[in-house]
Structures are given as C-alpha cells and as structure tokens.
Amino acid sequence: IRGEEGLVKARQMMQRLEGELRTLLEDRSRTVLTVRGLNSFGQRVVYGEVEAEEPGILASLVIRVKRAVVKAGPGVSLNDKFGFVPHVTLAKVSRPVARMRRSKYIDSGYYEAHINDTFGHQIIDNLQLCVIDSSTRYDGFYSTLADLQF
C-alpha cells in the first residue's frame, strides 16, 4: 500500500470483500483449520503448519483476496514473492531481541521434540489487513487497517 490513496483503496477493498467472504465462510463446519507440525522461516520465525479440513475453502479464500488486491486500484499492489504459507506464528526473533541475544536465529533444538505434534483447531472467523512495519498494536500484533469478523 502506497500513500493515502492506497490506504483508502485498501479499506474499500476490504469492505467489498466482506459480503463475498461472509458467504464463503458461513458454514463453520467447513472452515476448520488444524495446526499440526512445526516449521520455521529462516530460523527467525517458528510456526505451526496449518491444514484446512476442506482445502478448497481456504484456496477459494486466498484466490478471492488476491483477486481483490489486484483489482483494488492505485496504491495497492500484491507482493506474493514468497507464496502463501498458511501458518500460526509461535515465536519470532525481533530485531531488538536479536541484538540483545547477538543472534537472530532460533535453534531448532528448542522445539524439535514437538515438530510433529498437533496443537489444536481454529475456525476461519476473521480476516485482518495488517501493516507490516516496525510498529505493532498494544497487544504486540501487527497494526491493522481493516478487521473483518465472520
């Protein structure tokens, strides 16, 4: 998102998406995700891998969001260089913590005994448009431009 126009377009995009996604996600029994297995992004973020009970629902959600971003207009663009990796972040080494520890990496020895564990289930019941920068909300989560609840 670039500039004030991008912020406005992104919020409008989320408003347009709400009705479409509400219909897709209305049957809670079809939107169950299982968090099973651990992995990492470059040993800086440890995450639980997410599997959809109905992969078609999650795939449709991702396609609709990507399509909406592409159509949103000036100031909004899709950065998909890493691809979509459904996950739940469990631990992350922030820059200040990395400086304090003198390492930005999380040793897999801390979690390897749980690498194949199942951690639970989650219903797809919300979608946030997050700002990925150095600032976070009061609770440590990314700042959000829009938050849809289903």
Side-chain angles (χ1 to χ4, degrees):
I1 299 173
R2 289 181 303 282
E4 191 61 37
E5 182 181 13
L7 293 173
V8 170
K9 295 289 185 189
R11 287 187 179 108
Q12 291 171 343
M13 172 199 74
M14 291 293 282
Q15 290 171 344
R16 286 190 301 272
L17 261 173
E18 186 171 17
E20 183 180 345
L21 296 182
R22 187 170 304 286
T23 301
L24 176 69
L25 303 173
E26 67 187 346
D27 183 352
R28 296 270 198 241
S29 69
R30 300 184 67 213
T31 64
V32 177
L33 304 173
T34 300
V35 182
R36 178 180 303 123
L38 294 177
N39 208 329
S40 75
F41 294 125
Q43 291 185 294
R44 289 192 63 186
V45 175
V46 176
Y47 63 89
E49 296 177 333
V50 172
E51 302 169 3
E53 296 289 323
E54 291 202 29
I57 297 289
L58 183 58
S60 182
L61 171 68
V62 172
I63 287 167
R64 291 169 193 226
V65 170
K66 286 181 177 184
R67 184 175 55 222
V69 170
V70 169
K71 293 167 69 175
V76 180
S77 60
L78 181 63
N79 176 352
D80 199 20
K81 65 181 176 183
F82 297 112
F84 177 66
V85 179
H87 69 281
V88 174
T89 299
L90 302 173
K92 179 178 179 180
V93 179
S94 66
R95 284 182 179 84
V97 170
R99 282 191 295 273
M100 182 179 66
R101 293 178 64 233
R102 294 192 175 112
S103 174
K104 61 183 179 179
Y105 302 111
I106 302 171
D107 184 338
S108 62
Y110 293 130
Y111 59 87
E112 67 186 8
H114 304 284
I115 210 153
N116 295 311
D117 289 1
T118 298
F119 299 97
H121 305 281
Q122 174 67 48
I123 303 276
I124 302 172
D125 61 1
N126 65 82
L127 179 71
Q128 288 93 24
L129 178 59
C130 298
V131 177
I132 309 298
D133 64 13
S134 59
S135 65
T136 59
R137 292 189 323 202
Y138 65 92
D139 59 0
F141 190 67
Y142 297 110
S143 298
T144 55
L145 293 178
D147 187 355
L148 305 180
Q149 300 292 321
F150 305 105

